[in-house]
Amino acid sequence: MGLADNKSEYNSILLLVKDCCKEVQLDRSQNFRHIDHAKLGKVIRLARGRNEYLNSGRFPADWPITDIVKQYLRGQRKIRSRRNKEAAEAGNDNNSSGSEGEGEGEGEGEGEGSDSGGGEGSLSGAGEGRDEEEEEEEEEAARPLKRARRN
């Protein structure tokens, strides 16, 4: 992206794209290749309209915006997975106390957590700690972008 010397501009672009994803209500539980293309287009248009650096025509196929969206979605899925795992472990700790009982209960068990702490960071090193399935999914999603860059 050419912002190695301007970390504050890079971070502001990350935050802008994240805010655009929230504004168009992009489904953060979905993988990039399964998201609604119309909503992705809205994210791209909003980000380009709000930041002159992204709107300057220097990026074919808006690759920085799509890469940031991928990074953001991946981060959100990891956060959700970690929270679910911690909740399951906490549930197992409560059940392993040795006292089992019978009874009836009522109530709803679903809810939503906050989305704090998600997705910001450098794109360099974005491949660390990923499994092969995620890498294959990203390669499939990037193929049309690579073709567009060649043209």
Side-chain angles (χ1 to χ4, degrees):
M1 247 172 77
L3 292 174
D5 297 336
N6 196 346
K7 189 75 170 172
S8 63
E9 177 73 14
Y10 178 76
N11 287 336
S12 71
I13 291 172
L14 287 176
L15 184 60
L16 170 69
V17 173
K18 176 182 172 181
D19 289 343
C20 291
C21 289
K22 289 180 180 179
E23 187 173 326
V24 300
Q25 299 176 348
L26 198 64
D27 185 1
R28 295 179 305 212
S29 66
Q30 294 290 320
N31 193 316
F32 181 79
R33 67 180 178 170
H34 297 295
I35 62 173
D36 183 8
H37 295 292
K39 287 186 177 183
L40 178 61
K42 287 180 185 178
V43 169
I44 291 170
R45 282 191 298 278
L46 285 172
R48 278 194 304 184
R50 294 179 183 174
N51 188 291
E52 188 175 315
Y53 187 79
L54 295 173
N55 195 27
S56 62
R58 66 175 60 133
F59 303 113
D62 298 305
W63 66 264
I65 299 170
T66 56
D67 282 359
I68 293 170
V69 170
K70 287 178 192 177
Q71 175 184 338
Y72 174 64
L73 294 174
R74 187 172 43 248
Q76 291 298 303
R77 285 193 318 270
K78 285 184 180 182
I79 289 169
R80 181 174 288 118
S81 174
R82 186 178 339 125
R83 287 180 181 163
N84 289 342
K85 184 177 179 182
E86 289 171 357
E89 288 174 358
N92 287 340
D93 290 344
N94 291 340
N95 290 338
S96 63
S97 64
S99 60
E100 292 185 65
E102 295 181 24
E104 296 180 23
E106 294 182 21
E108 303 266 334
E110 295 185 40
E112 291 189 16
S114 71
D115 59 348
S116 63
E120 295 179 18
S122 169
L123 286 177
S124 63
E128 296 176 10
R130 298 186 303 166
D131 61 3
E132 291 178 359
E133 184 177 324
E134 278 189 50
E135 289 176 8
E136 289 174 4
E137 290 172 358
E138 274 194 9
E139 287 175 7
E140 285 180 19
R143 284 186 188 129
L145 295 176
K146 289 178 183 176
R147 287 186 202 116
R149 289 182 197 156
R150 287 184 205 142
N151 295 336

